[in-house]
């Protein structure tokens, strides 16, 4: 019986890792579309994604931050990119740039609660 439970736990854990690895990275273009068109399902996907980043920062770095603060830091980094490019260049950049990169670059550049103590 113990073997069955252990085997089941391994199978469940392996399928979760496979599912996470198969998920596409969220791009800045997806984020902008979600909040530009006010699509509730896409907005929820962005909030869930940011909740995962928030949880990662807490568990790996003992750093407490809110989803709103993560949105603010990402928006600031996206705005910097938008100012220096034409509309077409910005759209191309947004479609190839991972949203998570903007979140982490923003949190490192302007941490809301002091510097991060981990990488």
């Amino acid at each position: 019986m113990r073997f069955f439970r252990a085997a089941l736990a391994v199978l469940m854990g392996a399928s979760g890792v496979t599912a996470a690895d198969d998920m596409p990275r969220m791009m800045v273009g997806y984020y902008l579309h979600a909040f530009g068109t006010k699509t509730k399902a896409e907005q929820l996907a962005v909030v869930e994604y940011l909740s995962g980043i928030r949880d990662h920062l807490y568990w790996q770095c003992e750093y407490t931050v809110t989803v709103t603060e993560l949105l603010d830091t990402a928006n600031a980094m996206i705005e910097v990119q938008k100012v220096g490019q034409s509309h077409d260049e910005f759209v191309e950049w947004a479609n190839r740039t991972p949203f998570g990169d903007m979140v982490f670059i923003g949190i490192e550049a302007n941490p809301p609660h002091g510097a991060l103590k981990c990488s």
Side-chain angles (χ1 to χ4, degrees):
M1 188 66 169
R2 279 190 267 179
F3 174 76
F4 177 72
R5 288 183 187 159
L8 183 61
V10 168
L11 287 174
M12 288 173 54
S15 66
V17 169
T18 302
D21 289 342
D22 289 346
M23 293 177 63
R25 295 179 78 185
M26 183 178 291
M27 298 297 167
V28 171
Y30 181 89
Y31 162 71
L32 295 173
H33 179 265
F35 284 90
T37 61
K38 307 287 191 247
T39 306
K40 232 179 207 343
E42 290 176 343
Q43 289 176 353
L44 282 173
V46 171
V47 170
E48 287 176 8
Y49 181 79
L50 288 171
S51 295
I53 292 175
R54 178 203 58 208
D55 293 347
H56 167 78
L57 289 170
Y58 178 77
W59 291 108
Q60 295 297 317
C61 307
E62 297 182 5
Y63 192 80
T64 303
V65 65
T66 66
V67 169
T68 302
E69 290 167 333
L70 293 174
L71 274 172
D72 291 344
T73 59
N75 285 336
M77 294 296 104
I78 293 168
E79 192 62 35
V80 166
Q81 290 294 321
K82 189 175 183 180
V83 169
Q85 300 179 21
S86 71
H87 175 74
D88 292 340
E89 291 171 329
F90 178 72
V91 169
E92 182 182 329
W93 172 85
N95 287 330
R96 65 177 160 71
T97 302
F99 179 60
D101 289 0
M102 291 296 95
V103 174
F104 281 104
I105 290 169
I107 205 89
E108 286 180 4
N110 190 19
H113 305 286
L116 290 172
K117 294 180 177 60
C118 68
S119 55

